[in-house]
Amino acid sequence: MFPLNLPESFWFLGLVLIGLTGLGIVVDGIQGKSFWRRINLHHRRASSSATPPRTISPNNKSSANAASKTNHADVLPPQRRHVLASMEMEGVSYRAIDEKEVREQILPMTTDYRTCEDEKYTPMGFSLSEIKALGDFPDYAELSGVPLPQSYLEFDIDKALPRPYRPFRWAYHQTMSLTKLELDWWIELENTYKQRIAQRKELYAKHGSSVLGALPGSELACKELMEMVLQFVCARYPQYFSLSDKRILHNKILDTAQDVRSKHPLEILLDNIPEDFGIMLRDDQTSKYFLRAGVICSALGWNLGTKIGLQLHEIHEPIPDYREKMQFSMDRFFKKMPSDKPIQRGSWGLEVGQPLYMPKDDPHEALRLSQDPSLCLEDCHLRVDWQTLRRLPLSAAVVFNFKALFTPVTEFRDEPRVPALLAEILTKGKKNLLEYKSTWHVEHVVLPKLEEWVKEQEENGLVPKGCEVATLEDSPWFKGWQDKWHRQQGF
């Protein structure tokens, strides 16, 4: 699901993990009886690659989708092999097949596609002979139905700041709060790039399989993910990334030229992309989804080594209300998610400092057990795990990716409605959700300031007096965010 604090960020295990700030699902609200109401999937206008992107406004209408509890053991994801009809593949002629043939010759979840007979099919309806004929770095935009991003030529890695995500919601329930992915922003780089890459490589050197691992059968998905990510960054940031001979990745930020076949695909991502990725694969026997591979350096309260191999609901075991309110819907969602409809969401927490990787029993955890009377406001940060979830078109893997973004809480002072919204959540939010987020250790410092800023914003006319507290109209954005974001970057 999606990253959660432990589990908030995985959510996009993204969805899958969706919930673990680290691994899985961060729970930010669940209400309604139908599946779509439950996940609150809003439709947003696509943003351009210009700076700033267009503001996106949620569509408040939720579509009711009856969730009948049928047996989905044989459900295949929406097929994509029809795109082969318009693609040139040497030695392979396209033919239509039905799902029955795919099921009868399905590639087992634990089998390496490179050593399996070519007549086997992935859950997306591609035979292994067709996949091999496509070769390295095929046209994933055509295969997935998701276009490549527009080039962002104005982007300057030394000045770039992440967009100021404020994914706070009120009323604060348990829900995924999903929206359509802004296609130009799947992989968002910022000025901490070099620092984060070095930090992540150091974590891997120290913790090994606790932060990067791949189980048998994930070979195709890992290769596919790496190629899709590299295609994206080369299209989005051509001034910094390029690929020659479908083999050598040129990274002008780090001044490197790397053979992408020289390491495991996840290690190539670790060396170049400051994002976490979790790969969920469909079990050919039950159609359930299991975490089979990933690189996770931003987990709080858990690590990849403790989650790899687990099924979706097992990953989200720590999430409040997950089993009762979300498990069935999320299992169903994973089985039917198409490759051309990627989604996004955000989870958040309040932290002392900027802890990136904090497995269970890490010394930093001790800070959450008390309210330090000497704690300074300047040491308190909002941590947002911005998460995306998409299906890979060849392997059918569901991939969640996320990155941890830190913002000093002092930034909220001039952001309309943000102090009031966060204060409302901290004082009136559901107890088990707040305990899961572990905000208590900073509330004695943060909450009084938020209340002070609420009054200040009213007195300065930034917000109307007595304004009702509610989710930001253009959530996760506050009014005027683009101007502030530009100003802070010097343009």
Side-chain angles (χ1 to χ4, degrees), residues 153-174:
L153 299 178
E154 305 87 356
F155 179 80
D156 184 340
I157 191 65
D158 295 321
K159 297 180 180 179
L161 295 176
R163 294 183 297 169
Y165 299 100
R166 305 292 183 260
F168 307 124
R169 301 189 63 80
W170 187 260
Y172 186 51
H173 300 288
Q174 172 83 319

Side-chain angles (χ1 to χ4, degrees), residues 189-244:
L189 304 183
E190 29 125 0
N191 62 8
T192 63
Y193 177 87
K194 292 181 180 179
Q195 171 191 344
R196 282 286 183 258
I197 292 293
Q199 185 178 16
R200 292 164 62 83
K201 292 174 72 171
E202 182 180 346
L203 286 169
Y204 180 45
K206 181 178 180 179
H207 299 285
S209 60
S210 291
V211 299
L212 190 153
L215 298 180
S218 65
E219 293 82 7
L220 175 59
C222 289
K223 175 180 182 289
E224 184 180 13
L225 173 63
M226 178 201 70
E227 292 179 344
M228 288 179 67
V229 171
L230 297 189
Q231 276 189 356
F232 180 94
V233 296
C234 288
R236 180 62 168 163
Y237 310 105
Q239 65 273 48
Y240 293 118
F241 298 94
S242 61
L243 193 67
S244 59

Side-chain angles (χ1 to χ4, degrees), residues 286-472:
T286 65
S287 82
K288 302 290 187 181
Y289 280 77
F290 292 78
L291 176 62
R292 301 292 295 179
V295 50
I296 308 290
C297 298
S298 307
L300 297 182
W302 60 277
N303 63 55
L304 178 67
T306 64
K307 299 295 178 181
I308 196 166
L310 298 185
Q311 195 177 321
L312 188 58
H313 76 272
E314 296 172 319
I315 289 168
H316 293 97
E317 189 68 31
I319 310 306
D321 302 337
Y322 179 82
R323 182 180 295 274
E324 298 79 10
K325 295 185 177 181
M326 304 172 106
Q327 180 176 333
F328 172 76
S329 293
M330 291 311 304
D331 285 345
R332 186 172 183 270
F333 182 74
F334 265 66
K335 292 172 184 176
K336 294 191 171 187
M337 183 184 188
S339 69
D340 61 350
K341 290 181 171 58
I343 56 179
Q344 64 184 17
R345 74 177 297 275
S347 67
W348 63 273
L350 298 177
E351 302 292 346
V352 175
Q354 299 186 28
L356 182 68
Y357 178 73
M358 190 180 74
K360 186 175 176 57
D361 298 326
D362 186 276
H364 194 89
E365 270 192 323
L367 297 178
R368 297 184 171 197
L369 303 178
S370 64
Q371 291 186 332
D372 182 358
S374 63
L375 178 63
C376 297
L377 182 68
E378 289 71 23
D379 293 330
C380 300
H381 291 77
L382 168 71
R383 170 174 165 146
V384 169
D385 288 276
W386 194 248
Q387 310 149 2
T388 70
L389 188 72
R390 67 186 305 168
R391 186 183 295 281
L392 305 188
L394 296 179
S395 64
V398 176
V399 173
F400 74 91
N401 68 284
F402 63 96
K403 66 183 303 181
L405 302 170
F406 295 92
T407 303
V409 297
T410 51
E411 289 293 323
F412 302 159
R413 183 173 184 175
D414 64 353
E415 299 177 355
R417 302 178 184 267
V418 171
L421 178 54
L422 182 54
E424 191 84 351
I425 293 171
L426 295 180
T427 56
K428 300 179 182 179
K430 193 174 180 180
K431 183 179 179 181
N432 65 334
L433 297 183
L434 291 175
E435 288 178 346
Y436 179 74
K437 282 192 176 293
S438 299
T439 59
W440 174 80
H441 66 302
V442 300
E443 288 180 14
H444 63 299
V445 173
V446 172
L447 191 53
K449 272 298 177 181
L450 293 174
E451 294 169 343
E452 177 184 320
W453 294 336
V454 170
K455 295 178 182 178
E456 184 177 273
Q457 289 190 358
E458 291 182 348
E459 292 171 356
N460 294 339
L462 198 58
V463 300
K465 289 187 177 182
C467 182
E468 181 180 357
V469 175
T471 301
L472 300 172

Side-chain angles (χ1 to χ4, degrees), residues 80-95:
R80 292 294 300 177
R81 68 170 283 107
H82 61 276
V83 303
L84 294 178
S86 60
M87 301 180 74
E88 296 183 3
M89 295 185 300
E90 185 176 348
V92 177
S93 57
Y94 169 78
R95 70 179 181 89

Side-chain angles (χ1 to χ4, degrees), residues 1-21:
M1 301 237 6
F2 302 94
L4 282 176
N5 238 346
L6 131 78
E8 206 169 315
S9 73
F10 228 50
W11 107 243
F12 260 171
L13 223 203
L15 257 185
V16 292
L17 290 180
I18 258 187
L20 309 170
T21 277

